[in-house]
Amino acid sequence: MIIIHAKMFVNPTKEEEFLEEVQQLISASQEEIGNVSYDLFKDTVEDSAYLMVEGWKDLEAVDAHNKSSHFTEFVGKAQNYLIRPLDVKVFNAQQVK
Protein backbone atom coordinates (compact mmCIF):
# COMPACT_ATOMS: atom_id res chain seq x y z
CA MET A 1 0.00 0.00 0.00
CA ILE A 2 1.16 3.51 -0.76
CA ILE A 3 0.51 6.23 1.83
CA ILE A 4 0.84 9.89 0.94
CA HIS A 5 0.92 12.81 3.37
CA ALA A 6 0.42 16.19 1.70
CA LYS A 7 0.68 19.14 4.10
CA MET A 8 -1.00 22.30 2.87
CA PHE A 9 -0.63 25.77 4.32
CA VAL A 10 -3.72 27.76 3.35
CA ASN A 11 -4.14 31.51 3.14
CA PRO A 12 -6.44 32.27 6.12
CA THR A 13 -8.49 34.70 4.03
CA LYS A 14 -9.25 31.92 1.52
CA GLU A 15 -9.68 29.03 3.94
CA GLU A 16 -13.45 28.69 3.53
CA GLU A 17 -13.16 28.71 -0.27
CA PHE A 18 -10.32 26.15 -0.07
CA LEU A 19 -12.44 23.83 2.08
CA GLU A 20 -15.31 23.96 -0.40
CA GLU A 21 -12.99 23.27 -3.34
CA VAL A 22 -11.09 20.44 -1.65
CA GLN A 23 -14.32 18.58 -0.79
CA GLN A 24 -14.86 17.91 -4.49
CA LEU A 25 -11.34 16.46 -4.73
CA ILE A 26 -11.88 14.28 -1.66
CA SER A 27 -15.23 12.89 -2.82
CA ALA A 28 -14.03 12.08 -6.33
CA SER A 29 -10.75 10.57 -5.08
CA GLN A 30 -12.54 8.29 -2.61
CA GLU A 31 -14.49 6.82 -5.55
CA GLU A 32 -11.36 5.91 -7.54
CA ILE A 33 -10.39 2.31 -8.15
CA GLY A 34 -7.41 1.54 -5.94
CA ASN A 35 -8.22 4.14 -3.30
CA VAL A 36 -8.07 2.86 0.26
CA SER A 37 -8.60 6.22 2.01
CA TYR A 38 -8.48 9.93 1.25
CA ASP A 39 -9.01 12.24 4.22
CA LEU A 40 -8.21 15.82 5.17
CA PHE A 41 -7.17 16.72 8.71
CA LYS A 42 -6.80 20.19 10.22
CA ASP A 43 -3.58 20.80 12.11
CA THR A 44 -4.24 21.48 15.79
CA VAL A 45 -1.05 23.48 16.27
CA GLU A 46 -0.50 25.49 13.09
CA ASP A 47 -3.32 27.78 12.03
CA SER A 48 -4.59 27.25 8.48
CA ALA A 49 -2.52 24.09 8.02
CA TYR A 50 -4.07 20.84 6.75
CA LEU A 51 -2.81 17.33 6.12
CA MET A 52 -4.25 15.20 3.33
CA VAL A 53 -3.67 11.54 4.19
CA GLU A 54 -4.10 9.24 1.21
CA GLY A 55 -3.99 5.46 1.03
CA TRP A 56 -3.63 3.71 -2.32
CA LYS A 57 -3.56 0.04 -3.29
CA ASP A 58 -0.38 0.45 -5.37
CA LEU A 59 1.70 2.88 -7.44
CA GLU A 60 -0.52 2.31 -10.48
CA ALA A 61 -3.49 3.65 -8.50
CA VAL A 62 -1.44 6.70 -7.47
CA ASP A 63 -0.44 7.30 -11.09
CA ALA A 64 -4.06 7.08 -12.26
CA HIS A 65 -5.11 9.49 -9.49
CA ASN A 66 -2.40 11.98 -10.43
CA LYS A 67 -3.71 11.96 -14.03
CA SER A 68 -7.40 12.24 -13.08
CA SER A 69 -9.31 15.37 -14.07
CA HIS A 70 -10.44 16.13 -10.50
CA PHE A 71 -6.84 15.99 -9.24
CA THR A 72 -5.30 18.02 -12.07
CA GLU A 73 -8.07 20.63 -11.79
CA PHE A 74 -7.49 20.98 -8.05
CA VAL A 75 -3.72 21.25 -8.50
CA GLY A 76 -4.30 24.01 -11.04
CA LYS A 77 -6.37 25.96 -8.49
CA ALA A 78 -4.24 25.18 -5.42
CA GLN A 79 -1.86 28.09 -5.96
CA ASN A 80 -4.84 30.41 -5.33
CA TYR A 81 -5.18 29.06 -1.79
CA LEU A 82 -1.74 28.04 -0.59
CA ILE A 83 0.77 30.38 1.01
CA ARG A 84 3.64 27.87 1.04
CA PRO A 85 4.63 25.00 -1.24
CA LEU A 86 3.04 21.62 -0.63
CA ASP A 87 5.04 19.36 1.67
CA VAL A 88 4.49 15.86 0.24
CA LYS A 89 5.84 12.62 1.69
CA VAL A 90 5.23 9.19 0.11
CA PHE A 91 5.49 5.94 2.07
CA ASN A 92 5.41 2.28 1.08
CA ALA A 93 3.57 0.35 3.81
CA GLN A 94 2.05 -2.98 4.59
CA GLN A 95 -0.56 -3.82 7.17
CA VAL A 96 0.67 -5.45 10.34
CA LYS A 97 -1.55 -8.32 11.43
Side-chain angles (χ1 to χ4, degrees), residues 2 16 18-19 26-27 31-32 36 40 45 51 65 75 77 82 88 92-93 96:
I2 305 300
E16 188 174 320
F18 163 80
L19 290 171
I26 292 168
S27 295
E31 297 297 319
E32 287 183 57
V36 177
L40 181 68
V45 177
L51 183 66
H65 169 67
V75 168
K77 297 174 185 176
L82 304 181
V88 179
N92 191 355
V96 177

Side-chain angles (χ1 to χ4, degrees), residues 1-5 34-37 53-59 61-62 90-96:
M1 184 167 91
I2 305 300
I3 298 172
I4 300 173
H5 288 182
N35 180 261
V36 177
S37 63
V53 179
E54 308 171 31
W56 298 96
K57 179 182 169 188
D58 51 31
L59 285 172
V62 173
V90 180
F91 306 92
N92 191 355
Q94 43 185 122
Q95 184 176 1
V96 177

Side-chain angles (χ1 to χ4, degrees), residues 39-97:
D39 298 295
L40 181 68
F41 298 92
K42 183 160 180 32
D43 195 302
T44 59
V45 177
E46 287 188 80
D47 289 338
S48 302
Y50 292 85
L51 183 66
M52 186 72 76
V53 179
E54 308 171 31
W56 298 96
K57 179 182 169 188
D58 51 31
L59 285 172
E60 289 79 18
V62 173
D63 186 52
H65 169 67
N66 289 343
K67 293 176 181 173
S68 69
S69 61
H70 54 270
F71 179 76
T72 56
E73 287 174 19
F74 180 80
V75 168
K77 297 174 185 176
Q79 64 187 10
N80 298 325
Y81 307 113
L82 304 181
I83 55 175
R84 289 170 36 191
L86 279 173
D87 179 12
V88 179
K89 293 179 176 65
V90 180
F91 306 92
N92 191 355
Q94 43 185 122
Q95 184 176 1
V96 177
K97 295 182 180 185

